[in-house]
């Protein structure tokens, strides 16, 4: 009605009307164009590809970077072997398809791991997921796989913190159990050094820390050990005075727990400062990797014991390359000049399991893949793998101790193998310090 | 009982370190009326710079600090002059957001450049202690931190009271226009103040780096501690910051003594929160002008 | 006037129609992207309501994100309550908590309020990571989510997003909204004409708590796994803050644009996450220095044009 009198309000030469017109047309055409775009925007069924796509969420950075470091080197090598003769035979394609791995950095963050896993499943439409490296990574990734129905090969995270996410349908996991593997190692290892059997707990507030603490608190008293528990603490706790006081007061001679590296470094230094010197210190997770040990500084790491799930001394061979554990470690050191670390074996084993499963399944249909996974019975570079009805397989565990080394600043010696005498010892256990 | 005394000693000494951490934030909050949310990250940046210098030249951390101090001064000066000064008059959100942005940029750049692994500055002091009695001892590194913290605060107090520059800064803070009328370039003055705050951050970075481990995301933890110190003690007051540090350190350790280590940080927060509610200007702070 | 009204409605209708029909014509990945968009939009609208219109800069919205998510986890895992009921109760829990902390928190103003809200969030993080009932730092697997389809979650997310826009739109035109405008212009004078500033602020705070809590429930339904360090982490405020600032604080369209940019950026850089955060930081700083009103605010200024927002000036 007032159109005749309306003066176009011009700013920068654009009238209001024209702006609205153009944006709405633009938006509409964008949406319509969206429906015309192929591939990632259009709704599509299972991807028709000329390769097998594996999803791999790796903690390349963050507090778990020590676990993620040997990737993608180890993964690439393993995949290269699988693809050497063209790959794995898939019926739907009628020929061998090569394996391709898409690796994303989770930054050691559980939420990010879940997001990236969802992205790999929905955007990249991966065929199979490989989930490794501590409950913080494996738990969210397997939960996401369960949610969207994608087969998942899990490794390198203790069984107990993983089980609550079950019962699992799509995820198959292999590692050791705190109660059935780590506990026997400890009570087998500890009596070799004379102590008063008083154990002090040191644990973070997370699945690893709580899981370990719970199991040991339940089982230790039956063996005549007294447990002193100052309570779990969050990441980033700086001052351990009250814990150390409690341990000193109760005359703790065995320190045990599961902590992240940075918290343990703080704690151990303060122990030294406050004159708390246990005869045995068995700490899971914190001192798995050489850089972590070096971060302690000085001679502080001498004599600390930790769990050993894989080493160059393990007498297993790879089903892919026929290499021994020692061969694989040497290859790794030669390639990038760093000392071996435990996850190397498990990263390699993931691809062994993958190849074995697909060789038997011969298909990318997800429901068939999990059937094939369930039937797995093979020997890998980390030991034999055979999943039980709860979808997990236990791998062997022995005890190790950090000693000042010759070839490298710190070396991990195997000092206890009670449950697995086939894994040779390379040193004798000594008290801390 | 003796264990409790040890806790008290440690808490007090830790407080000295916390005071050193917070003094930079206190200065800027009191003087420029700006909450520098990137304070913790700038401190960690100093720790990393010291790490680089000790790594490249093999010096001990305290010597490397001497090289890092001028660098941090310049960084602080530039940030204030070219970024923060420009958002000063614009109300409360812009400075907060800009500082927030700087914090995120710093954290993630450190993440890219250095690995996310925990680092620490090596010094033999970290495992030594000074025994007082059979069961009591003073951790050497806490003691050094405490002394340095107190020294820094005293030095600043003297600076602000007796030097021209110090008084110029206080003048600019009290009344921007009047200071300009007196010939003080307030923009540059603020920048210098920030530079000085960064010097304290560098020193704090050395203390923290030698006492505890750090990694790129450690910044916000120390930011919260700085808040604690500043709010409890009162912004802009040197003595207040010292007292705030003591209270915070004691609260943390005493709390963890009675309730367990998991709640250590919580007690610091509780005290901080209570102070925020009943006396936000802190023990020694002056009542804020209606901003 | 009428023709402008017409164009506006047509455009809104097209966009909403496209969003609601998305699962029919787009891939699952695009659905996921807009799912995240919907969630972040809802939360950003609430942050904007507080910071942009009520003058409460909150660095603690993650309080409600954590409480909402944990309510869903606890209620479905321990008591087997239906999912949607649990999410709703989660919203209620958030409102309750907001009421409780409003007593101490509303005594703080400006920057102290911001810090205070952050401290409460950090305290909750520590509390939950020590609390047996909440499974401490281990977190929950929200197994009830295993059976929920992506499309279901998508629809709830996008409805929350659209709903939050509608909510803020209506709110600003209501009596409460006019009170907010008056308070923003001059709080003293507005009290003089009988506006209860405290009540208005509290109302917005509670609304924001409720909506954020419910949105968080949907978020964790999608995520399936909740842990205290993430649920109560400051990262949430970082995201919301950047979304609102870049989009344009104090406008209704701002969070829409901001959320879209954020989610797309996040996906694009999923593989180089630190870079995406550095980029976000740099853009936010530049925006604050050069265009403090954000994209929409600057567009509004230059083109003297309103789409959904009443002028914030």
């Amino acid at each position: 009605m007032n159109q005749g009198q309306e003066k176009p309000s011009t700013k920068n030469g654009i009238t209001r009307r024209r702006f609205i017109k153009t944006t709405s047309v633009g938006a509409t055409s964008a949406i319509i164009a969206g429906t015309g775009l192929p591939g990632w925007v259009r709704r599509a069924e299972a991807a028709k590809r000329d390769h097998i796509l594996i999803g791999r969420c790796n903690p390349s950075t963050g507090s778990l970077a020590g676990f993620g470091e040997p990737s993608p080197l180890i993964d690439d090598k393993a995949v290269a072997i699988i693809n050497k003769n063209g790959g794995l035979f898939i019926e739907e394609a009628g020929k061998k398809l090569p394996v391709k791995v898409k690796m994303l950095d989770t930054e050691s963050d559980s939420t990010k791991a879940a997001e990236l896993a969802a992205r790999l499943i929905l955007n990249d439409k991966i065929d199979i997921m490989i989930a490794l490296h501590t409950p913080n990574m494996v738990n969210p990734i397997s939960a996401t796989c369960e949610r969207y129905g994608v087969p998942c090969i899990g490794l390198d995270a203790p069984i107990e913190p993983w089980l609550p996410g079950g019962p699992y349908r799509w995820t198959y996991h292999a590692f050791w159990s705190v109660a059935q593997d780590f506990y026997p190692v400890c009570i087998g290892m500890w009596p070799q050094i004379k102590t008063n059997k008083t154990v002090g707990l040191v644990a973070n507030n997370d699945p690893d820390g709580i899981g370990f603490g719970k199991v040991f608190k339940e089982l230790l008293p039956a063996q005549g050990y007294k447990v002193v528990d100052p309570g779990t603490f969050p990441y980033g706790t700086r001052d351990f005075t009250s814990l150390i006081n409690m341990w000193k007061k109760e005359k703790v001679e065995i320190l045990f727990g599961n902590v992240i590296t940075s918290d343990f470094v703080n704690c151990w230094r303060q122990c030294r400062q406050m004159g708390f010197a246990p005869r045995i210190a068995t700490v899971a997770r914190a001192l798995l990797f050489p850089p972590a040990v070096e971060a302690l500084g000085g001679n502080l790491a001498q004599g600390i014991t930790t769990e050993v799930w894989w080493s160059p001394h393990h007498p297993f061979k790879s089903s892919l390359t026929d290499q021994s554990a020692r061969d694989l470690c040497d290859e790794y050191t030669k390639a990038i000049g760093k000392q071996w670390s435990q996850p190397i074996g498990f990263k390699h084993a993931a691809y062994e399991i993958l190849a074995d499963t697909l060789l038997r399944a011969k298909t990318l249909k997800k429901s068939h893949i999990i059937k094939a996974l369930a039937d797995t019975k093979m020997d890998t570079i980390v030991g034999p793998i055979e999943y039980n009805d709860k979808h997990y397989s236990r791998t062997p565990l022995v005890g190790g101790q950090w000693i000042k080394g010759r070839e490298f600043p710190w070396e991990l010696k195997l000092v206890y193998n009670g449950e697995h005498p086939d894994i040779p010892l390379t040193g004798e256990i000594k008290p801390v310090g | 009982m003796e264990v409790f005394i040890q806790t008290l000693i440690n808490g007090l000494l830790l407080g000295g370190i916390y005071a050193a951490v917070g003094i930079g934030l206190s200065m800027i909050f009191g003087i420029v009326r700006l909450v520098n949310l990137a304070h913790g990250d700038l401190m960690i940046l100093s720790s990393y710079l010291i790490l680089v210098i000790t790594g490249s030249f093999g010096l001990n951390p305290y010597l490397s600090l001497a090289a890092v101090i001028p660098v941090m001064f310049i960084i602080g000066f530039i940030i204030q002059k070219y970024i923060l000064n420009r958002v000063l008059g614009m109300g409360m959100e812009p400075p907060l957001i800009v500082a927030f942005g700087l914090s995120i940029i710093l954290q993630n750049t450190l993440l890219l450049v250095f690995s996310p692994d925990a680092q620490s500055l090596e010094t033999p002091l970290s495992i030594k202690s000074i025994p007082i009695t059979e069961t009591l001892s003073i951790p050497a590194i806490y003691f050094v931190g405490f002394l340095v913290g107190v020294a820094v605060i005293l030095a600043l107090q003297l600076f602000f009271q007796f030097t021209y520059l110090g008084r110029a800064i206080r003048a600019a803070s009290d009344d921007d226009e009047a200071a300009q009328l007196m010939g003080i370039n307030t923009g540059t003055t603020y920048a210098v103040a920030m530079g000085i705050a960064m010097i304290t951050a560098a020193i704090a970075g050395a203390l923290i780096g030698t006492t505890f481990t750090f990694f790129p995301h450690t910044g916000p933890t120390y930011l919260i501690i700085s808040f604690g110190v500043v709010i409890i003690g009162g912004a802009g007051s040197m003595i207040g910051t010292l007292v705030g540090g003591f209270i915070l350190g004691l609260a943390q350790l005493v709390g963890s003594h009675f309730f367990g280590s998991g709640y250590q940080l919580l007690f610091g927060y509780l005290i901080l929160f209570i102070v925020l509610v009943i006396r936000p200007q802190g023990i020694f702070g002056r009542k804020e002008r209606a901003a | 006037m009428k023709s402008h009204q017409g164009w506006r409605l047509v455009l809104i209708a097209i966009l909403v129609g496209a969003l609601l029909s998305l699962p029919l014509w787009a891939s699952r990945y695009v659905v996921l992207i807009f799912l995240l968009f919907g969630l972040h939009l809802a939360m950003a609208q609430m942050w904007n309501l507080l910071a942009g219109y009520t003058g409460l800069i909150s660095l603690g919205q993650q309080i409600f994100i954590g409480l909402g998510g944990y309510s869903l986890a606890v209620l479905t895992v321990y008591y087997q309550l239906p999912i949607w009921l649990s999410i709703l109760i989660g919203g209620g829990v958030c409102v309750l908590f907001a009421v409780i902390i409003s007593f101490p928190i509303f005594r703080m103003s400006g920057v102290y309020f911001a810090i205070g809200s952050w401290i409460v969030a950090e305290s909750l993080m520590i509390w939950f990571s020590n609390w047996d009932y909440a499974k401490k730092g281990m977190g929950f697997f929200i197994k009830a989510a295993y059976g929920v389809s992506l499309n279901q979650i998508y629809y709830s997310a996008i409805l929350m997003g659209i709903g939050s826009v509608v909510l803020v739109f209506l709110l600003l035109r209501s009596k409460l909204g006019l009170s907010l405008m008056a308070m923003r212009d001059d709080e003293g004078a507005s009290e003089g004409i009988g506006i209860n500033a405290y009540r208005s602020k509290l109302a917005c705070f509670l609304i924001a708590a409720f909506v954020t809590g419910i949105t968080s429930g949907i978020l964790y339904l999608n995520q399936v796994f909740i842990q205290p360090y993430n649920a109560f982490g400051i990262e949430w405020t970082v995201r919301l803050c950047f979304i609102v600032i870049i989009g344009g604080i104090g406008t209704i369209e701002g969070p829409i644009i901001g959320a879209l940019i954020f989610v797309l950026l996040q996906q694009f850089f999923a593989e180089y996450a630190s870079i995406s955060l550095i980029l976000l930081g740099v853009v936010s700083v530049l925006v604050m220095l050069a265009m403090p009103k954000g994209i929409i605010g600057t567009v509004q200024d230059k083109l003297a044009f309103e789409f959904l927002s009443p002028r914030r000036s």
Side-chain angles (χ1 to χ4, degrees):
Chain A
M1 221 173 7
N2 299 334
Q3 272 160 349
Q5 291 165 323
E6 214 167 59
K7 280 202 276 228
S9 147
T10 317
K11 279 206 175 181
N12 303 332
I14 304 178
T15 67
R16 256 186 248 188
R17 223 187 255 160
R18 202 176 293 160
F19 179 77
I20 295 178
K21 269 196 203 159
T22 15
T23 30
S24 51
V25 169
T28 321
S29 21
I31 295 175
I32 296 181
T35 51
L37 273 179
W40 71 279
V41 179
R42 289 303 309 281
R43 181 158 199 233
E45 290 311 327
K48 304 243 179 315
R49 285 185 289 239
D50 62 350
H51 57 264
I52 304 167
L53 189 59
I54 308 297
R56 179 98 164 73
C57 297
N58 190 52
S60 310
T61 59
S63 56
L64 302 173
F67 288 87
E69 205 203 345
S71 295
L73 185 66
I74 299 291
D75 305 67
D76 289 342
K77 280 191 189 292
V79 169
I81 302 291
I82 298 179
N83 290 343
K84 211 162 65 165
N85 293 324
L88 301 162
F89 181 78
I90 299 296
E91 256 165 25
E92 302 92 88
K95 60 176 180 158
K96 284 189 180 180
L97 295 183
V99 167
K100 246 173 94 172
V101 173
K102 181 145 187 194
M103 186 172 297
L104 297 178
D105 178 13
T106 61
E107 297 185 347
S108 306
D109 179 45
S110 297
T111 309
K112 183 133 210 140
E115 282 172 5
L116 290 180
R119 192 184 133 91
L120 284 171
I121 294 175
L122 294 176
N123 182 30
D124 303 279
K125 301 195 185 53
I126 55 168
D127 299 301
I128 302 178
M129 177 80 76
I130 290 181
L132 286 132
H133 307 317
T134 83
N136 281 347
M137 295 291 102
V138 174
N139 287 1
I141 298 175
S142 26
T144 311
C145 288
E146 290 294 311
R147 178 137 177 269
Y148 291 110
V150 171
C152 177
I153 298 175
L155 290 145
D156 194 4
I159 305 283
E160 278 86 347
W162 173 78
L163 276 179
Y168 287 96
R169 196 171 156 234
W170 298 89
T171 312
Y172 288 82
H173 191 68
F175 210 48
W176 42 269
S177 143
V178 184
Q180 295 172 297
D181 296 299
F182 198 68
Y183 177 71
V185 166
C186 287
I187 55 170
M189 201 167 52
W190 291 344
Q192 291 180 38
I193 297 188
K194 197 161 179 327
T195 65
N196 63 1
K197 285 181 122 178
T198 307
V199 178
L201 283 185
V202 57
N204 272 129
N205 241 330
D206 64 359
D208 255 336
I210 298 176
F212 276 63
K214 199 156 137 223
V215 169
F216 274 67
K217 272 202 292 196
E218 249 175 62
L219 299 176
L220 276 177
Q223 297 284 330
Y225 287 89
K226 179 173 147 195
V227 179
V228 175
D229 181 12
T232 56
F233 48 86
Y235 299 140
T237 298
R238 268 176 313 278
D239 189 282
F240 292 88
T241 310
S242 63
L243 286 95
I244 301 175
N245 277 336
M246 193 181 205
W247 296 327
K248 275 168 91 174
K249 184 158 147 243
E250 303 286 330
K251 299 206 184 4
V252 164
E253 287 186 3
I254 303 176
L255 188 63
F256 168 75
N258 187 323
V259 204
I260 57 173
T261 306
S262 50
D263 288 353
F264 182 68
V265 170
N266 280 340
C267 176
W268 193 239
R269 287 198 185 152
Q270 288 173 22
C271 289
R272 187 58 73 89
Q273 235 178 49
M274 289 178 64
F276 172 62
R279 289 182 51 84
I280 299 178
T282 304
V283 185
R285 193 174 31 151
L287 293 183
L288 286 173
F289 311 111
V293 180
E294 283 168 33
L296 268 179
N299 273 344
L300 288 177
Q302 181 82 356
I304 298 188
T305 38
T306 182
E307 75 272 30
V308 180
W309 12 288
W310 193 74
S311 76
H313 314 289
H314 277 53
F316 305 119
K317 273 179 184 286
S318 159
S319 58
L320 280 179
T321 62
D322 219 32
Q323 282 169 310
S324 69
R326 157 74 53 195
D327 293 333
L328 189 56
C329 290
D330 288 341
E331 193 188 8
Y332 177 73
T333 305
K334 218 162 85 173
I336 60 170
K338 290 202 176 140
Q339 202 176 355
W340 66 270
S341 66
Q342 300 190 41
I344 292 176
F346 277 84
K347 289 179 199 274
H348 187 92
Y351 295 97
E352 290 185 66
I353 300 175
L354 174 76
D356 176 76
T357 305
L358 284 179
L359 273 174
R360 284 178 290 115
K362 297 201 192 31
T363 171
L364 289 180
K365 291 209 193 66
K366 301 191 163 63
S367 45
H368 287 78
I369 294 179
I370 53 174
K371 279 212 197 72
L373 263 177
D375 293 331
T376 303
K377 196 177 154 89
M378 63 182 296
D379 286 323
T380 67
I381 203 164
V382 299
I385 302 275
E386 187 180 351
Y387 300 108
N388 62 13
D389 58 349
K390 286 221 182 74
H391 284 223
Y392 67 85
S393 169
R394 280 169 46 211
T395 57
L397 192 68
V398 294
Q401 191 169 44
W402 285 101
I403 303 286
K404 261 200 162 327
R406 274 165 297 150
E407 217 184 306
F408 295 101
W410 290 96
E411 284 169 15
L412 190 60
K413 299 259 175 261
L414 302 185
V415 295
Y416 176 78
N417 63 359
E419 285 70 35
H420 300 278
D422 48 325
I423 301 175
L425 295 181
T426 59
E428 215 182 276
I429 190 170
K430 300 184 179 53
V432 168
Chain B
M1 185 55 192
E2 268 164 356
V3 163
F4 187 62
I5 297 187
Q6 179 72 62
T7 304
L8 289 179
I9 295 179
N10 283 1
L12 214 63
L13 297 178
L14 194 60
I17 301 181
Y18 284 170
V21 170
I23 191 69
L25 189 75
S26 176
M27 264 183 67
I28 296 303
F29 191 31
I31 294 171
V32 189
R33 301 273 186 287
L34 190 117
V35 182
N36 182 7
L37 289 177
H39 180 75
D41 304 287
L42 287 163
M43 188 189 80
I44 296 294
L45 174 66
S46 326
S47 306
Y48 272 103
L49 289 176
I50 297 178
L51 186 72
V52 165
I53 298 191
T54 39
S56 321
F57 300 109
L59 298 169
N60 90 42
Y62 300 108
L63 284 179
S64 311
L65 177 61
V68 171
I69 283 185
V71 173
M72 287 307 292
F73 179 85
I74 296 175
I75 292 181
F77 188 91
I78 295 180
I79 291 182
Q80 182 69 38
K81 191 149 169 81
Y82 297 109
I83 303 182
L84 291 172
N85 270 351
R86 291 182 54 176
V87 290
L88 265 184
M90 296 206 294
M92 203 185 44
E93 300 125 25
L96 267 181
I97 309 292
V98 168
F100 219 7
L102 287 174
S103 162
I104 297 295
I105 295 174
L106 270 173
Q107 276 180 47
N108 286 283
T109 312
L110 285 175
L111 192 60
L112 275 182
V113 172
F114 301 96
S115 75
D117 292 332
Q119 310 277 358
S120 61
L121 301 173
E122 297 290 318
T123 156
L125 283 175
S126 61
I127 44 176
K128 293 214 176 69
S129 65
I130 309 167
I132 317 180
T133 73
E134 212 176 82
T135 41
L136 290 180
S137 63
I138 299 183
I141 195 99
Y142 276 18
F143 189 57
V144 167
F146 174 79
L147 290 178
V148 171
V150 172
V152 164
I153 294 195
L154 285 179
L156 277 177
Q157 178 81 346
L158 295 174
F159 171 78
F160 281 116
Q161 281 206 297
F162 297 116
T163 67
Y164 175 75
L165 188 55
R167 283 180 291 184
I169 294 178
R170 277 163 56 205
S173 145
D174 282 339
D175 192 332
D176 194 86
E177 284 174 0
Q180 288 188 19
L181 285 175
M182 300 290 288
I184 296 175
N185 180 333
T186 48
T188 311
T189 311
Y190 289 151
V192 169
M194 178 62 104
I196 298 177
M198 285 303 101
I199 294 180
T200 68
I203 299 176
L207 293 181
I208 293 294
T210 50
T211 316
F212 307 114
T213 54
F214 59 93
F215 44 90
H217 290 303
T218 318
T221 321
Y222 289 105
L223 179 65
I224 299 188
I225 290 184
S226 307
F227 277 147
V229 164
V230 168
I231 288 177
I232 296 176
S237 157
M238 302 292 128
I239 303 299
T241 309
L242 203 55
V243 171
F246 292 148
I247 295 181
L248 197 62
L250 284 171
Q252 276 193 355
L253 293 200
V254 170
S256 102
H257 179 89
F258 288 116
F259 293 98
S261 49
Y263 296 99
Q264 187 185 95
L265 298 171
L266 190 61
F267 283 96
Y269 295 160
L270 210 61
I271 300 278
L272 174 50
F273 196 71
I274 293 176
V275 172
L276 266 178
V277 175
I278 40 182
R279 198 185 154 92
Q281 70 269 31
I283 300 181
F284 289 89
R286 357 167 228 186
K287 197 95 172 73
E288 272 269 307
R289 292 195 312 246
Chain C
M1 243 344 177
K2 248 168 75 173
S3 61
H4 292 173
Q5 201 90 305
W7 271 111
R8 268 194 240 187
L9 287 177
V10 167
L11 182 53
I12 295 180
I14 293 180
L15 288 176
V16 172
L19 286 175
L20 289 179
S21 64
L22 204 76
L24 296 175
W25 51 268
S27 73
R28 293 219 291 174
Y29 183 54
V30 172
V31 171
L32 178 69
I33 290 184
F34 280 93
L35 192 162
L36 295 172
F37 166 72
L39 295 175
H40 283 85
L41 172 59
M43 298 192 284
Q45 283 290 1
M46 292 301 110
W47 198 85
N48 186 32
L49 178 65
L50 292 178
Y53 289 102
T54 315
L56 294 171
I57 306 249
S58 165
L59 297 182
Q61 282 302 88
Q62 60 267 27
I63 296 171
F64 309 115
I65 296 181
L67 287 177
Y70 265 99
S71 304
L72 172 68
V74 162
L75 293 172
T76 54
V77 171
Y78 287 160
Y79 308 109
Q80 276 88 45
L81 285 184
I83 294 179
W84 304 105
L85 181 62
S86 308
I87 293 182
L88 216 59
I89 296 181
V93 168
C94 288
V95 174
L96 199 60
F97 192 78
V99 169
I100 297 176
I101 57 164
S102 67
F103 290 114
I105 275 209
F106 272 56
R107 298 185 52 163
M108 314 170 194
S109 62
V111 92
Y112 297 115
F113 175 82
I115 298 175
S117 59
W118 188 3
I119 297 294
V120 173
E122 292 287 318
S123 306
L124 277 179
M125 184 197 290
I126 296 183
W127 186 262
F128 270 72
S129 61
N130 279 302
W131 197 12
D132 252 332
Y133 183 66
K135 290 205 204 289
K136 296 199 177 183
M138 262 175 48
F140 278 94
F141 281 101
I142 303 176
K143 284 191 266 190
Y146 288 172
V148 183
S149 81
L150 183 68
N151 288 348
Q152 269 184 297
I153 304 183
Y154 167 74
Y155 277 118
S156 28
I158 206 69
L159 285 175
M160 280 309 286
I162 297 177
S164 69
V165 173
V166 170
L167 176 68
V168 175
F169 182 80
L170 293 175
L171 203 72
L172 290 175
R173 281 159 178 72
S174 73
K175 191 162 156 221
L176 177 60
L178 294 174
S179 311
L180 292 178
M181 295 291 149
M183 274 160 45
R184 195 188 25 80
D185 284 337
D186 190 330
E187 184 153 332
S190 70
E191 299 224 308
I193 54 168
I195 293 181
N196 187 332
Y198 185 84
R199 278 241 288 264
S200 310
K201 289 186 184 175
L202 184 63
C204 288
F205 191 61
L206 297 182
I207 293 174
F210 184 67
V211 173
T212 305
I214 295 192
T215 309
S216 165
I218 302 175
L219 184 119
Y220 279 101
L221 196 63
N222 186 45
Q223 206 101 288
V224 182
F225 187 64
I226 185 170
Q227 251 196 342
Y229 302 108
N230 247 294
F232 292 103
I234 191 71
E235 293 75 33
W236 286 112
T237 292
V238 172
R239 292 179 187 189
L240 299 182
C241 182
F242 286 162
I243 289 179
V244 171
I245 295 302
I246 296 179
I249 191 170
T251 67
I252 299 187
E253 310 89 329
I256 301 179
I257 301 283
L260 194 62
I261 294 179
F262 175 77
V263 171
L264 290 177
L265 209 68
Q266 211 194 19
Q267 291 301 314
F268 189 68
F269 281 110
E271 320 188 14
Y272 316 104
S274 342
I275 299 190
S276 80
L277 285 171
I278 295 179
L279 217 72
L280 269 181
V282 168
V283 172
S284 307
V285 173
L286 290 177
V287 162
M288 268 294 120
L289 293 178
M291 339 192 290
K293 303 205 174 160
I295 296 179
I296 294 291
T298 316
V299 161
Q300 274 185 353
D301 266 2
K302 291 235 187 288
L303 301 173
F305 145 91
E306 278 163 35
F307 194 61
L308 289 174
S309 313
R311 222 32 128 67
R312 190 203 176 220
S313 146

